[in-house]
Amino acid sequence: CMDSRIDPLGVLGKEPGDVKILRNAGARVTDDMLRTLILATYLLGVTRVLVMPHTNCRMAGGSESQIHAAILAEHGIDTRSVEFRTVDDQESALRTDLVRIRSHPLLPPGLVVGGVIFDVHSGAIRPIEA
């Protein structure tokens, strides 16, 4: 996720240069994430992927309509033409996203794909099986 409270390198015990980090709101596997993963695997040698949403995520704290309404009420901007991909069940959304990566026909066979949910309060990482 793009949440600035989370330091992905620190969470994973890695240093700058160790991993590629792709971030977006809600840690969702979008078409652009898949495009980037294809490039990363074939051009940059990436062999493992970890998808890591987190607890207390704003994208898991309200429906699409609630997010649109909040932006309209606070800023006067109608954002209904944009899909924010909110989730009401992070585990289910993560499982779906893991399947999207694992089944993508352009990603290489043997790509190791995992998913975890990071707890922002405890620092715990909970693996999720797809």
Side-chain angles (χ1 to χ4, degrees):
C1 187
M2 66 180 203
D3 192 316
S4 60
R5 296 176 294 175
I6 299 165
D7 169 21
L9 293 175
V11 168
L12 300 172
K14 300 294 182 181
E15 299 292 327
D18 287 346
V19 297
K20 314 283 184 245
I21 299 173
L22 310 176
R23 298 178 85 160
N24 67 12
R28 298 307 311 274
V29 176
T30 62
D31 288 343
D32 193 54
M33 287 291 181
L34 289 168
R35 175 189 70 87
T36 303
L37 287 174
I38 292 165
L39 292 169
T41 56
Y42 290 108
L43 299 180
L44 302 174
V46 169
T47 60
R48 297 181 299 163
V49 174
L50 177 67
V51 182
M52 188 176 73
H54 63 88
T55 60
N56 290 356
C57 180
R58 184 63 174 104
M59 293 296 98
S63 69
E64 288 279 323
S65 60
Q66 289 170 327
I67 299 291
H68 291 299
I71 293 171
L72 182 61
E74 188 169 336
H75 302 284
I77 303 296
D78 184 349
T79 57
R80 290 176 296 171
S81 65
V82 176
E83 180 186 10
F84 292 126
R85 298 188 67 156
T86 61
V87 298
D88 58 359
D89 182 341
Q90 279 186 305
E91 286 187 29
S92 177
L94 178 54
R95 285 186 182 95
T96 296
D97 286 345
L98 295 174
V99 169
R100 284 194 80 198
I101 296 170
R102 290 178 179 142
S103 64
H104 197 283
L106 297 179
L107 287 168
L111 182 65
V112 177
V113 180
V116 299
I117 295 180
F118 174 70
D119 187 310
V120 295
H121 297 297
S122 70
I125 295 174
R126 183 168 48 94
I128 302 297
E129 296 298 323

